């Protein structure tokens, strides 16, 4: 919505708006892994999440209030977007580490699904409200961003209801819960089990894995110690998943803006309303997809649902390519209105694909990081891969659309969207604990096939 506001109301060129959101995306990308690393150690997760939400809301208002006509203060706006990217980097690891700390790894599937349902429902309500408001007050649509601080107040109110004592900071990291931490025999008061646990959680070691990862003096069980960041990065399963996240968002990230542009540019207040409906329709179906993921991913595993979700993207691109071909070569009564409505309803596929992806990537990150003590770091890395893919996609898609047209761009994006499907089907194993074990795990644990 900010992109549409800047182009339609402030006279920004697509290139100027693209530069702003490229800066936003890159700052997010650069700070998401450090934000996850910080969140793994922090005992003040609720405070950090609340602060990031407030700063994000204030900077959204600053964008609407201080953006000059025709990009007159573009440098300042780019700086605002860099700050906003840094602030928003804390939100995914903060929200999901708090969730895992409260419900534990066993409760993550149902709770992440519930979180995503509420997220999409809230987004749909806010976007629809903002779009209707923009339709009424057009062309002075800057006032529509008042919905941001209103939503922020709601977030802060409910964050204050969370009791810090309910958060198990070990489980929030992906370590065994407190009651499962082995007792340590020591005659040194300074090295009691509690102080060892506190040092693990509260004091970053900054040992990134290039030296000795941990001592072998017997003072601590390996099960209660977090892996180093380098150990996390050496996990081939995580590397494949990062490629999947990047390639999916590389194809997906620019499709919605391109669809919105086909509906909004040159259509005044009706175009802004149609842009809002694009987002609202997708969010409603994302809510449904999140519910399906919560019900069935724990029963049938992560992989079938994930593959189903990402396969909706090439289908969506194919339909859009066919639609634009028909629009170029055919005319029939009320064709303009019918074409717009049909294009709008392709957002149902966006809701299915992005809804499944947005829920499942958190669950798969939790599965992969189980026992490592680096859940927030892992989630920061996967979120960074998604952000980088989306940022590159935004520039790549806009450049293609300007050079060769929308129809050809959707076709190319459709081909790219087949890459994550291929990678997941061929190289990504089932990650749900207990559903599948790799050959390497079997050989390492000395398990018999009859035991699985």
């Amino acid at each position: 919505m900010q992109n549409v506001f800047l182009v339609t109301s402030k006279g920004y060129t697509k290139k100027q708006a693209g530069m702003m959101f490229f800066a936003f995306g890159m700052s997010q990308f650069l700070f998401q892994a450090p934000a996850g690393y910080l969140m793994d150690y922090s005992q003040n997760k609720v405070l950090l999440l609340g602060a990031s939400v407030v700063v994000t809301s204030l900077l959204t208002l600053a964008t609407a209030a201080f953006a000059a006509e025709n990009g007159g203060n573009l440098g300042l706006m780019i700086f605002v977007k860099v700050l906003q990217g840094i602030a928003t980097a804390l939100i995914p690891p903060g929200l999901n580490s708090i969730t895992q700390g409260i419900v534990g790894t066993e409760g993550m599937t149902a709770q992440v699904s519930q979180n995503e349902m509420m997220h999409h429902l809230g987004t749909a309500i806010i976007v629809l409200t903002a779009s209707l408001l923009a339709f009424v007050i057009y062309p002075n649509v800057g006032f529509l961003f008042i919905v941001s601080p209103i939503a922020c107040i709601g977030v802060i109110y409910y964050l204050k209801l969370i009791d810090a004592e309910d958060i198990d900071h070990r489980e929030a990291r992906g370590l065994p819960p407190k009651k499962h931490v082995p007792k340590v025999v020591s005659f040194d008061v300074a090295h009691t089990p509690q102080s060892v646990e506190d040092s693990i959680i509260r004091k970053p070691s900054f040992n990134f894995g290039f030296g000795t990862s941990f001592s072998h003096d017997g003072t601590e069980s390996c099960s209660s110690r977090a892996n180093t960041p380098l150990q996390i990065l050496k996990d081939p399963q995580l590397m494949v998943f990062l490629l999947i996240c990047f390639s999916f968002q590389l194809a997906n990230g620019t499709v919605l803006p391109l669809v919105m542009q086909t509906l909004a540019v040159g259509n005044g207040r009706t175009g802004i309303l149609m842009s809002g409906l694009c987002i609202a329709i997708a969010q409603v179906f994302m809510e449904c997809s999140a519910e399906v993921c919560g019900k069935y991913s724990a029963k049938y595993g992560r992989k079938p649902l994930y593959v189903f979700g990402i396969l909706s993207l090439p289908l969506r691109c194919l339909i859009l390519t066919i639609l634009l071909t028909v629009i170029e070569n055919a005319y029939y009564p009320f064709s303009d209105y019918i074409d717009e409505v049909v294009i709008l309803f392709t957002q149902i596929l966006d809701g299915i694909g992005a809804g499944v992806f947005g829920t499942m990537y958190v669950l798969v990150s939790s599965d992969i990081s189980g026992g490592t003590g680096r859940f927030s770091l892992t989630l920061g890395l996967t979120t960074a891969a998604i952000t980088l893919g989306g940022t590159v996609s935004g520039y790549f898609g806009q450049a293609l659309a300007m050079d060769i047209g929308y129809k050809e761009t959707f076709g190319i994006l459709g081909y790219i969207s087949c890459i994550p499907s291929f990678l997941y089907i061929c190289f990504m194993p089932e990650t749900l604990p207990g559903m599948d074990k790799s050959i390497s795990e079997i050989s390492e644990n000395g398990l018999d096939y009859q035991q699985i």
Side-chain angles (χ1 to χ4, degrees):
M1 291 297 288
Q2 291 184 54
N3 200 346
V4 174
F5 160 73
L6 291 169
V7 173
T8 60
S9 297
K10 291 294 183 178
Y12 274 59
T13 65
K14 293 178 183 178
K15 183 177 180 181
Q16 288 172 326
M19 288 173 63
M20 282 180 58
F21 288 94
F22 179 80
F24 171 77
M26 289 307 297
S27 64
Q28 263 193 328
F29 164 69
L30 292 172
F31 282 89
Q32 269 164 340
Y37 185 77
L38 172 65
M39 202 61 73
D40 274 330
Y41 285 102
S42 176
Q43 297 280 310
N44 300 305
K45 294 177 172 63
V46 174
L47 178 62
L48 283 174
L49 179 58
S52 66
V53 169
V54 170
V55 172
T56 299
S57 181
L58 291 174
L59 292 172
T60 298
L61 290 177
T63 301
F66 300 117
E69 295 291 335
N70 302 314
N73 57 347
L74 183 61
L76 175 62
M77 290 296 99
I78 289 175
F79 179 67
V80 167
K81 287 298 153 191
V82 169
L83 295 179
Q84 193 171 28
I86 295 170
T88 56
L90 284 163
I91 294 176
L95 177 63
N96 289 289
S97 64
I98 290 170
T99 300
Q100 185 158 290
I102 293 174
V103 303
T105 53
E106 293 181 358
M108 274 292 278
T109 299
Q111 192 57 53
V112 168
S113 170
Q114 187 72 16
N115 289 356
E116 288 297 313
M117 287 171 62
M118 293 299 102
H119 165 227
H120 296 310
L121 178 61
T123 303
I125 292 171
I126 288 174
V127 169
L128 194 56
T129 303
S131 299
L132 291 171
L133 182 62
F135 183 80
V136 172
I137 65 176
Y138 184 86
N140 300 311
V141 296
F143 292 105
L144 67 87
F145 292 104
I146 193 67
V147 298
S148 179
I150 293 173
C152 178
I153 291 170
V155 172
I156 298 302
Y157 172 77
Y158 284 105
L159 280 177
K160 289 186 69 175
L161 297 181
I162 297 176
D163 188 349
E165 296 298 319
D166 291 336
I167 302 173
D168 184 335
H169 292 282
R170 295 187 58 82
E171 283 216 282
R173 296 186 61 175
L175 288 170
K178 292 178 182 178
K179 61 183 179 182
H180 293 149
V181 179
K183 292 184 178 180
V184 180
V185 178
S186 175
F187 296 99
D188 187 349
V189 176
H191 291 86
T192 61
Q194 183 61 43
S195 63
V196 169
E197 182 182 330
D198 287 348
S199 68
I200 295 169
I201 295 175
R202 297 181 182 178
K203 299 177 182 178
S205 63
F206 300 105
N207 176 7
F208 295 102
F210 298 99
T212 304
S213 298
F214 52 84
S215 64
H216 297 274
D217 58 6
T219 59
E220 184 178 14
S221 170
C222 291
S223 65
S224 64
R225 186 183 289 274
N227 289 4
T228 64
L230 187 60
Q231 287 174 306
I232 299 299
L233 292 173
K234 286 180 178 179
D235 183 356
Q237 196 175 87
L238 176 60
M239 291 298 103
V240 171
F241 189 55
L242 291 177
L243 282 174
I244 292 168
C245 290
F246 171 79
S247 57
F248 176 83
Q249 199 61 15
L250 177 65
N252 183 67
T254 195
V255 176
L256 175 59
L258 292 177
V259 169
M260 290 172 66
Q261 285 172 23
T262 62
L263 296 171
V265 175
N267 288 330
R269 65 172 68 197
T270 303
I272 291 178
L273 181 61
M274 295 291 282
S275 297
L277 287 174
C278 272
I279 300 174
I281 289 173
Q283 292 295 328
V284 169
F285 281 88
M286 285 178 196
E287 182 189 1
C288 299
S289 299
E291 184 178 12
V292 169
C293 291
K295 284 184 178 179
Y296 297 108
S297 67
K299 184 177 181 181
Y300 298 109
R302 317 296 196 202
K303 189 168 184 175
L305 280 170
Y306 220 133
V307 171
F308 175 78
I310 56 183
L311 281 174
S312 68
L313 181 56
L315 177 61
R316 180 183 171 208
C317 291
L318 176 63
I319 292 173
L320 285 167
T321 304
I322 294 172
L323 278 173
L324 292 180
T325 302
V326 171
I327 291 170
E328 284 181 1
N329 300 295
Y331 181 81
Y332 40 87
F334 307 105
S335 61
D336 291 342
Y337 298 105
I338 294 172
D339 294 339
E340 287 180 353
V341 170
V342 174
I343 290 173
L344 196 59
F345 274 91
T346 62
Q347 286 303 104
I348 293 173
L349 288 172
D350 182 28
I352 294 171
V356 170
F357 192 91
T359 303
M360 297 300 293
Y361 101 90
V362 177
L363 296 176
V364 172
S365 297
S366 178
D367 296 341
I368 292 173
S369 64
T372 65
R374 297 292 183 184
F375 169 60
S376 293
L377 175 61
T378 302
L379 187 65
L381 289 168
T382 53
T383 307
I386 293 170
T387 301
L388 181 62
T391 302
V392 174
S393 179
Y395 177 80
F396 177 66
Q398 293 290 347
L400 282 177
M402 290 181 67
D403 292 340
I404 62 176
Y406 287 98
K407 181 184 70 175
E408 291 77 9
T409 300
F410 285 129
I412 293 172
L413 293 173
Y415 284 114
I416 296 174
S417 66
C418 294
I419 296 173
S421 305
F422 171 77
L423 289 174
Y424 211 109
I425 292 169
C426 297
F427 298 105
M428 193 71 186
E430 177 57 61
T431 59
L432 180 66
M435 283 288 292
D436 184 51
K437 287 187 178 292
S438 65
I439 299 299
S440 61
E441 286 176 325
I442 293 170
S443 61
E444 287 174 7
N445 295 324
L447 295 177
D448 193 293
Y449 281 99
Q450 295 178 347
Q451 293 178 288
I452 301 174

